[in-house]
Structures are given as structure tokens and as C-alpha cells.
């Protein structure tokens, strides 16, 4: 049975992209602890926090627990400079643009990535693999997004992919 861990292992094996996998789906405390730990300087080489959970607009679903984006912003409090928050979850970024840009500013992240639609696991996993690799290898989010939309634009549009970075607005 395919899993997120399989994807991460493939990225490490093929491209040498390191990862830390934390199973936190059943515990808010474990989720919060993992997120706080990720912000520490000694984990700076792990520049992408990849959230692979169920989602709803503006929220992650950890089992029966709901974690709003506002709570995530509070947990990281401007501690994401040089880092990317990637929501590989249904509909989390189905929020208005001002709210997404406010979340980006509140976290201090270089970029926030996610979907505006309910997505199939396999289609989103395919795009996640492609985009996680590109973001890990090329730190220029603008170039990555232009490349992605040129090469995989139909899939990105189908999944409702949104990328917010810096003060720039996302493309449609």
C-alpha cells in the first residue's frame, strides 16, 4: 500500500533529498511538538514542512482534531524564514487571497503551497513528488512555479494548486 513515507523515501533515494517523517495524525500535542522542533536551527536543512493530512478550507484534519491555519501560524510565529509550508491536503488553501497572504506573512515562510480542491491521493501524490523535488533543488519559488505551470499546468489546474510567496500574488 502506497504511503507518504514511500514518496519521501523515493525523493531521498533518487535525489538525495533528506527528510524527517513524523507520524502525528492522532495527536495535537505530537503535531505541535513536531512543528516547533522543525523550526529549530539544527533542522534548517529540512526546508519544507510537508503536511499530508485530510483538509478542509483553511484547516488540517488530524483524525478527529481540527487545526486551523491560524493555529499553525501561532505555532511557528515568524519562524519560517527560508522555509516552505506545503499542504498536500484537500482544499486547505481554498481561502481568500488576503487570508492566504496574511498566513504567509504571519509565518514568515518563503512560500505556502497547497490545493484549493478536493484531490485524489494518486494525482496529488504525483504533483507533490514533482513539486517537492523542484522546491528542494531550486530555492527560487518564482522559477519553480513558472516551470511547473509550463510542464504540468493541466495537472496543477485540475488540483487547484496555489503557491504564495513573498509579496507576489499567485498565478491562476
Amino acid at each position: 500500500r502506497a504511503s507518504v513515507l514511500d514518496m519521501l523515501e523515493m525523493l531521498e533515494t533518487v535525489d538525495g533529498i533528506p527528510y524527517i517523517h513524523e507520524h502525528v495524525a492522532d495527536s495535537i500535542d505530537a503535531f505541535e511538538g513536531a512543528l516547533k522542533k522543525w523550526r529549530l536551527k539544527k533542522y534548517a536543512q529540512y526546508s519544507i514542512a510537508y503536511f499530508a493530512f485530510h483538509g478542509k478550507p483553511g484547516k488540517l484534519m488530524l483524525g478527529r482534531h481540527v487545526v486551523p491555519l491560524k493555529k499553525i501560524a501561532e505555532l511557528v510565529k515568524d519562524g519560517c524564514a527560508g522555509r516552505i509550508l506545503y499542504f498536500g491536503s484537500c482544499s486547505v488553501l481554498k481561502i481568500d487571497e488576503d487570508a492566504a497572504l496574511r498566513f504567509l506573512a504571519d509565518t514568515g515562510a518563503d512560500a505556502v503551497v497547497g490545493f484549493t480542491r478536493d484531490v485524489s491521493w494518486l494525482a496529488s501524490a504525483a504533483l507533490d513528488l514533482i513539486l517537492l523535488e523542484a522546491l528542494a533543488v531550486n530555492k527560487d519559488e518564482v522559477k519553480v512555479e513558472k516551470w511547473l505551470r509550463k510542464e504540468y499546468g493541466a495537472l496543477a489546474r485540475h488540483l487547484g494548486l496555489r503557491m504564495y510567496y513573498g509579496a507576489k500574488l499567485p498565478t491562476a
Side-chain angles (χ1 to χ4, degrees):
R1 191 170 167 185
S3 73
V4 170
L5 186 55
D6 294 328
M7 288 176 33
L8 298 173
E9 288 173 350
M10 184 184 310
L11 287 168
E12 183 176 58
T13 301
V14 173
D15 289 312
I17 298 168
Y19 70 90
I20 297 172
H21 179 263
E22 299 270 352
H23 185 78
V24 298
D26 300 326
S27 167
I28 292 289
D29 290 339
F31 175 80
E32 290 179 2
L35 197 52
K36 288 178 182 178
K37 183 171 84 173
W38 173 70
R39 289 182 51 215
L40 298 175
K41 191 174 218 149
K42 71 180 184 175
Y43 296 106
Q45 79 181 72
Y46 305 98
S47 61
I48 303 171
Y50 174 58
F51 301 96
F53 301 98
H54 291 288
K56 292 185 177 182
K59 301 172 182 138
L60 285 179
M61 308 303 295
L62 276 67
R64 66 186 200 293
H65 305 287
V66 176
V67 182
L69 290 178
K70 184 177 180 176
K71 177 66 173 174
I72 294 170
E74 290 170 4
L75 289 169
V76 296
K77 296 179 190 159
D78 284 327
C80 293
R83 297 176 182 219
I84 296 169
L85 299 170
Y86 190 123
F87 297 96
S89 310
C90 292
S91 302
V92 171
L93 289 185
K94 187 177 183 180
I95 57 178
D96 68 60
E97 194 169 87
D98 288 342
L101 292 172
R102 187 170 37 260
F103 177 74
L104 176 68
D106 289 347
T107 63
D110 286 6
V112 173
V113 179
F115 302 112
T116 61
R117 296 190 179 136
D118 288 346
V119 296
S120 76
W121 189 87
L122 194 55
S124 65
L127 189 66
D128 289 348
L129 267 173
I130 292 164
L131 189 49
L132 285 167
E133 176 194 36
L135 290 168
V137 172
N138 183 345
K139 302 300 182 191
D140 185 334
E141 296 88 6
V142 176
K143 286 183 183 176
V144 168
E145 183 177 21
K146 284 181 184 178
W147 168 81
L148 180 82
R149 297 214 183 263
K150 179 181 176 202
E151 299 296 326
Y152 303 97
L155 181 57
R157 283 188 302 279
H158 173 72
L159 297 173
L161 179 75
R162 290 291 179 265
M163 293 179 69
Y164 297 92
Y165 39 83
K168 302 167 192 75
L169 298 177
T171 58

